Amino acid sequence: MNPETEFREGLDELASHYESILNLLGEDPTREGLQKTPMRVAKAMQVLTRGYSMDAHKVLTDALFKEDYSQMVIVKDIDFFSLCEHHMLPFYGKVHVAYIPNGYITGLSKIARVVDIFSHRLQVQERMTLQIKQCIQDTLKPLGVMVVVEAKHMCMQMRGVEKQNSITTTSEFSGAFNQAKTRQEFMNLLHTESKKI
């Protein structure tokens, strides 16, 4: 399914609600610039929340390979965009994931897909961080998982305290990452500048 061209049930009803919202805001939804806005917003919201109709566990198991590798695997700087469930404003940033395999690995792009699935829901950063970690832990059953999320929140930048440069960092870890030495190894590798290929 292509989320940009195929939409879920309820699209027309969603668009009618956005037309009502425009009226309540004091706008005229029949004027030229707004005539197609309710449907555009409805489609955008379905794209931005497409994670509800996707199974993150299946994404990982579809690319599960038996492998004896047992050192840390890191996928860092995974870009994400999500919607804060409190104000439905965007928050965005980067996710860094590490896991230590325990007989099985998954395709590297599948880690990014897991991030994509959980970020495309109404979220709070703390829960998203936990869900990514828990999904990888439950599905791959590795020796340990660690997830670090760094994000900027438009609800803090556009409204409320209006702080433009604040960054929120959250982390979740399990297994081998309960040891401070292993967490530190991950953080050291995370902040190592990538060499140009």
Side-chain angles (χ1 to χ4, degrees), residues 10-44:
L11 186 66
D12 290 332
E13 186 178 357
L14 193 57
S16 73
H17 286 295
Y18 280 114
E19 184 174 347
S20 297
I21 289 169
L22 288 173
N23 271 316
L24 290 168
L25 292 175
E27 264 293 356
D28 174 10
T30 63
R31 73 175 173 85
E32 184 181 9
L34 291 176
Q35 286 175 7
K36 295 182 180 180
T37 297
M39 183 55 73
R40 286 190 191 111
V41 178
K43 287 179 177 179

Side-chain angles (χ1 to χ4, degrees), residues 22-127:
L22 288 173
N23 271 316
L24 290 168
L25 292 175
E27 264 293 356
D28 174 10
T30 63
R31 73 175 173 85
E32 184 181 9
L34 291 176
Q35 286 175 7
K36 295 182 180 180
T37 297
M39 183 55 73
R40 286 190 191 111
V41 178
K43 287 179 177 179
M45 288 304 292
Q46 283 207 354
V47 170
L48 294 171
T49 59
R50 66 180 181 254
Y52 288 121
S53 59
M54 297 178 176
D55 185 343
H57 295 278
K58 188 176 185 309
V59 164
L60 291 177
T61 56
D62 282 351
L64 198 60
F65 308 104
K66 189 162 180 55
E67 192 61 57
D68 289 333
Y69 186 80
S70 59
Q71 299 301 312
M72 199 180 297
V73 176
I74 299 175
V75 183
K76 67 179 186 175
D77 295 332
I78 303 168
D79 293 316
F80 82 91
F81 295 87
S82 192
L83 289 176
C84 162
E85 68 180 34
H86 299 143
H87 302 97
M88 292 180 69
L89 289 171
F91 68 98
Y92 61 95
K94 295 189 182 294
V95 177
H96 317 287
V97 177
Y99 75 98
I100 301 173
N102 187 21
Y104 289 92
I105 60 170
T106 190
L108 297 176
S109 68
K110 304 306 179 186
I111 301 291
R113 292 277 291 132
V114 168
V115 171
D116 187 58
I117 289 169
F118 287 116
S119 64
H120 280 82
R121 299 176 182 185
L122 299 183
Q123 278 289 13
V124 294
Q125 183 175 332
E126 297 87 343
R127 183 195 311 125

